[in-house]
Amino acid sequence: MTIPPTSTSIPVQRSTEALDPNHADLDRLDPLALVQAFADDQRAAVEAVRSATPALARVVEAALPRLESGGRLVYVGAGTSGRLGVLDATELTPTFSWPPERAVPLIAGGERAIRQAVEGAEDDAAAGANDVRAANVGPGDVLIALAASGTTPYVLGAVEAARSLGALTVGIANNPGTPLLAAVDCPVALDTGPEVISGSTRLKAGTAQKIALNTLSSALMVRLGKVYGNLMVDVRTSNAKLEDRAVRLTCHGAGVSESEARAALAQAGGSVKTALVMLRLGLSVQEAEARLAAAGGHARAALGEG
């Protein structure tokens, strides 16, 4: 596969780089008006994601079979986009007990780039391809490529390598008609337009990417059985706050007292899902775990609710 030309070879119309005529006097605003300008402009991020919901739903449908078969989510980006990918990948483990080895964030410039800019890293297409190969990306994996501009060479190099290795590729960009969206299996355009501070895509472009990632990964986790009703039943109880949350979830889902919930969770090793099945069906830990395994980890199916 050949990557479509990048911004270095042909001009690409990028609305994220356009000047916003509504904020030409931004530096003259008083604090209240300044904050209102930034806050009001963020509404466009929500609307951009709402417009992209059909595309995001197609990603869920395409990605689900690979993840059900043990595949990984691999995030690729540079700068703000790369950091957002790192954040989404990191949060899947405590929220849904998603194995950390199955959420792989790749960022231009490596881990150092999470905290500081690594000059020129995003311009290296070969580095993107090499990082994908080093992560052993393969046919079972889903690569989520993020670039506000839609032209970042590091990201485009990663996409080309991932597609050649058989992975499902997803592209999220804030400019329609850009090379990234043309290069992937599942394009998602978040058309957020010009920024209040011209060209600063850490603003509403970044917000739209964050919302899209939250939406996409959360929808996948729901479909994978990590949620019962709207209860976060696969939460990892790694601290006191999350232990208390697990108790509340178990009380609500099973309709039991706090003491009953705590006792069941202790037997279930902190697993809300297992505790729910135990309490609702009067089963032992082993019986509840076996029932969940037979249901593919879906609590509703394990409870016989279809």
Side-chain angles (χ1 to χ4, degrees):
M1 173 190 168
T2 301
I3 297 177
T6 70
S7 57
T8 60
S9 55
I10 62 169
V12 176
Q13 296 297 319
R14 292 184 286 185
S15 61
T16 53
E17 301 293 333
L19 298 179
D20 189 339
N22 297 317
H23 300 99
D25 294 322
L26 189 70
D27 58 345
R28 296 181 176 179
L29 299 181
D30 63 47
L32 178 57
L34 185 60
V35 170
Q36 287 177 333
F38 283 119
D40 289 347
D41 201 53
Q42 292 289 335
R43 295 174 183 170
V46 177
E47 291 308 314
V49 177
R50 286 177 60 85
S51 296
T53 52
L56 288 166
R58 287 191 290 272
V59 175
V60 173
E61 292 173 354
L64 195 60
R66 301 190 189 218
L67 298 180
E68 288 176 329
S69 298
R72 300 175 298 167
L73 288 167
V74 182
Y75 299 76
V76 175
T80 297
S81 297
R83 295 179 191 105
L84 289 171
V86 171
L87 178 61
D88 200 69
T90 303
E91 290 181 341
L92 292 180
T93 298
T95 308
F96 300 109
S97 291
W98 187 251
E101 64 273 14
R102 293 182 65 192
V104 181
L106 304 177
I107 181 170
E111 289 192 11
R112 182 164 64 96
I114 296 172
R115 290 295 305 274
Q116 65 186 81
V118 178
E119 299 299 332
E122 71 174 57
D123 298 327
D124 193 341
N130 290 338
D131 284 352
V132 162
R133 287 191 285 267
N136 296 314
V137 171
D141 296 326
V142 179
L143 181 117
I144 302 174
L146 299 139
S149 67
T151 62
T152 307
Y154 174 86
V155 175
L156 292 171
V159 167
E160 182 180 37
R163 288 199 72 175
S164 71
L165 294 166
L168 176 72
T169 55
V170 180
I172 299 177
N174 295 87
N175 291 289
T178 44
L180 175 59
L181 298 179
V184 296
D185 301 305
C186 300
V188 180
L190 304 174
D191 191 1
T192 45
E195 297 284 1
V196 172
I197 297 177
S198 297
S200 180
T201 51
R202 65 179 290 271
L203 298 175
K204 67 183 173 199
T207 301
Q209 288 184 7
K210 178 68 167 68
I211 297 171
L213 287 174
N214 275 352
T215 300
L216 176 57
S217 60
S218 296
L220 284 168
M221 293 300 124
V222 171
R223 297 296 294 170
L224 287 166
K226 301 291 186 177
V227 174
Y228 170 62
N230 67 341
L231 303 181
M232 193 170 66
V233 292
D234 258 345
V235 60
R236 176 170 290 187
T237 53
S238 56
N239 57 44
K241 178 189 72 175
L242 294 177
E243 288 174 0
D244 287 342
R245 183 176 298 167
V247 171
R248 291 194 299 273
L249 290 168
T250 304
C251 288
H252 181 82
V256 297
S257 67
E258 180 178 334
S259 60
E260 290 174 303
R262 288 189 182 277
L265 284 166
Q267 294 178 57
S271 170
V272 175
K273 187 187 292 184
T274 303
L276 280 178
V277 176
M278 289 170 56
L279 291 165
R280 292 275 296 274
L281 300 181
L283 302 177
S284 67
V285 173
Q286 294 76 16
E287 291 169 332
E289 290 175 340
R291 196 172 180 100
L292 280 164
H298 292 256
R300 191 174 294 281
L303 290 168
E305 298 176 353

